Amino acid sequence: MSATPYSVLIIGCGNIAGGFDMARSLKQPPLSHAGAYVRHAGFRLAACVEPDDARRIAFAQHWGVETHAAELQALRALPGCFDVISICSPTDVHHEHLAHAIALRPRLIFCEKPITSDPESASRLVRECQELGISLAVNYSRRWDPFLDDLLIQMQEGRWGRLRSVVGHYSKGMLNNGGHMVDLLRRLVGPMTLVSAACAELDFCESDPTVAALLTSEDGRTPVYLNPAHARDFAFFELELVCEFGVIRMLTGGMEWQLREAIPSPQFNGYRTLGESKLIQGRYLETMGRAIQNLHAHLAHNAPLGCSGEEALLTQKMCISIQQSAINAD
Ligand SMILES: NC(=O)c1ccc[n+]([C@@H]2O[C@H](COP(=O)([O-])OP(=O)(O)OC[C@H]3O[C@@H](n4cnc5c(N)ncnc54)[C@H](O)[C@@H]3O)[C@@H](O)[C@H]2O)c1
């Protein structure tokens, strides 16, 4: 742990910045940037920016933030003032906030997903960070889910046999929530090729339709279906992995997992069937805390980032090409 805690600026003081944790006890795992920084002795919340006065003042008081302002310029911050900048503003202003953050030359930027709304500005900003030696991490949160880390190892070791097919259910926009699904699938399946996409539906944001799609694994043998739900009905982010030796289901965004292993059928001689389902508590609630630990390890010991800007850019580009293909098909 560094003797002096890393100073942090948070841009945007809504839910993911700290709101998700304002009514939670410090004994519970953090679900927000501020909630995770204050639980880690290696960071200090130095400043925050938020145009909504009441929200900003409540945020600054709750999290003990020393300096706050309605807009970035009003901070009059000089380059090098902050070690870390968290970007938690709405997605359509990420490009402006990333550019400003880069000008402040922090050691690390932790940006909410997606990097920006368009791949051109995202590519440019990722490149600028690389050129200036600023580390960029992006919060595709399941990159820090330890249950998924274990599952990946099991799959790589052959515990579940061949991956036959995948269905990912999501809603609230291809880029917004679909990005979490595509990022998760890129980890579990590896590089994928888009076969077709259709049925673009504006269920959440005017510029970000939720779409249906079929992709395949790199060898063309594993189909991957993106299956849309509608944001107005209920929150839905679930995954089903059909494998040679059983079926794995991620439920409620990773809060729980259901495992069913293939067994000899008790009724039909010579057949195999799925055994009883085992419900296991997931570890999704640990992700924000682990993300902040990872940022600290990166700053202090150069540990690799769980989700770098380059990785997030690949996810964003894939989301945009899936979405564009659906729009063109409709
Ligand atoms: N990783 C995740 O699981 C996850 C979850 C929720 C949200 N997000 C992402 O986080 C971002 C914010 O989402 P949210 O749900 O917290 O939204 P929110 O609306 O709760 O918070 C955004 C805040 O930014 C403020 N803001 C608006 N314009 C600003 C400006 N110019 N400068 C500074 N602040 C400004 C708003 O007033 C608001 O308080 C989005 O990009 C979203 O995609 C990610």
Side-chain angles (χ1 to χ4, degrees):
M1 187 112 6
S2 79
T4 314
Y6 298 116
S7 61
V8 180
L9 161 67
I10 297 188
I11 304 175
C13 299
N15 286 327
I16 198 72
F20 284 145
D21 281 321
M22 304 250 291
R24 284 164 67 82
S25 127
L26 279 175
K27 288 185 188 136
Q28 292 175 288
L31 306 177
S32 69
H33 290 231
Y37 286 126
V38 299
R39 284 165 173 81
H40 197 300
F43 293 98
R44 173 179 66 86
L45 291 180
C48 65
V49 172
E50 162 65 51
D52 181 316
D53 290 340
R55 190 172 303 165
R56 185 184 69 252
I57 290 162
F59 185 95
Q61 277 175 356
H62 185 92
W63 297 112
V65 186
E66 298 151 21
T67 306
H68 54 91
E71 54 180 39
L72 268 162
Q73 288 77 359
L75 274 184
R76 299 185 187 285
L78 296 172
C81 255
F82 305 108
D83 297 306
V84 178
I85 300 182
S86 263
I87 298 183
C88 302
S89 49
T91 301
D92 59 357
V93 284
H94 281 189
H95 68 283
E96 162 190 338
H97 290 153
L98 267 164
H100 203 126
I102 289 170
L104 288 177
R105 299 287 193 275
R107 288 186 59 193
L108 185 147
I109 298 173
F110 187 29
C111 184
E112 265 309 326
K113 48 63 31 190
I115 305 173
T116 62
S117 328
D118 67 284
E120 293 76 25
S121 66
S123 301
R124 196 183 63 245
L125 291 157
V126 168
R127 199 173 51 246
E128 276 181 38
C129 285
Q130 281 166 346
E131 286 168 2
L132 293 165
I134 299 170
S135 300
L136 174 62
V138 180
N139 191 21
Y140 283 112
S141 38
R142 286 166 192 81
R143 292 271 179 161
W144 290 281
D145 183 331
F147 189 97
L148 272 158
D149 294 346
D150 292 345
L151 178 63
L152 258 168
I153 292 169
Q154 285 185 17
M155 290 174 72
Q156 281 156 4
E157 287 176 346
R159 157 85 175 71
W160 293 92
R162 267 196 65 86
L163 179 61
R164 303 295 189 194
S165 62
V166 183
V167 185
H169 305 277
Y170 79 103
S171 60
K172 276 183 113 175
M174 179 77 250
L175 195 57
N176 178 45
N177 261 7
H180 277 303
M181 185 57 77
V182 168
D183 194 68
L184 176 54
L185 292 169
R186 288 186 53 242
R187 256 189 107 193
L188 290 169
V189 182
M192 292 174 289
T193 307
L194 176 62
V195 178
S196 65
C199 304
E201 173 87 24
L202 292 171
D203 68 331
F204 176 65
C205 166
E206 284 281 304
S207 57
D208 185 19
T210 295
V211 310
L214 169 64
L215 301 98
T216 65
S217 57
E218 202 171 30
D219 63 6
R221 293 179 66 195
T222 306
V224 177
Y225 303 92
L226 284 177
N227 189 50
H230 198 293
R232 270 206 304 276
D233 301 338
F234 46 85
F236 196 39
F237 191 84
E238 300 204 346
L239 180 73
E240 185 168 72
L241 303 163
V242 179
C243 305
E244 188 178 355
F245 303 143
V247 174
I248 305 162
R249 287 204 182 99
M250 181 188 81
L251 305 176
T252 48
M255 298 292 283
E256 287 182 317
W257 289 78
Q258 185 196 55
L259 308 180
R260 293 179 78 195
E261 294 193 49
I263 54 163
S265 167
Q267 283 89 22
F268 301 101
N269 197 19
Y271 281 74
R272 286 176 71 73
T273 187
L274 287 175
E276 266 183 29
S277 71
K278 217 191 292 174
L279 200 61
I280 300 178
Q281 195 174 348
R283 299 181 65 184
Y284 182 70
L285 294 182
E286 295 174 41
T287 56
M288 186 55 94
R290 290 183 93 241
I292 296 302
Q293 283 164 19
N294 176 225
L295 302 193
H296 192 275
H298 177 77
L299 289 166
H301 315 296
N302 210 20
L305 290 170
C307 187
S308 65
E310 292 80 4
E311 279 296 316
L313 185 59
L314 291 174
T315 291
Q316 182 172 343
K317 283 182 173 169
M318 174 140 250
C319 290
I320 298 287
S321 69
I322 295 169
Q323 192 171 61
Q324 203 49 57
S325 167
I327 292 167
N328 295 342
D330 287 350

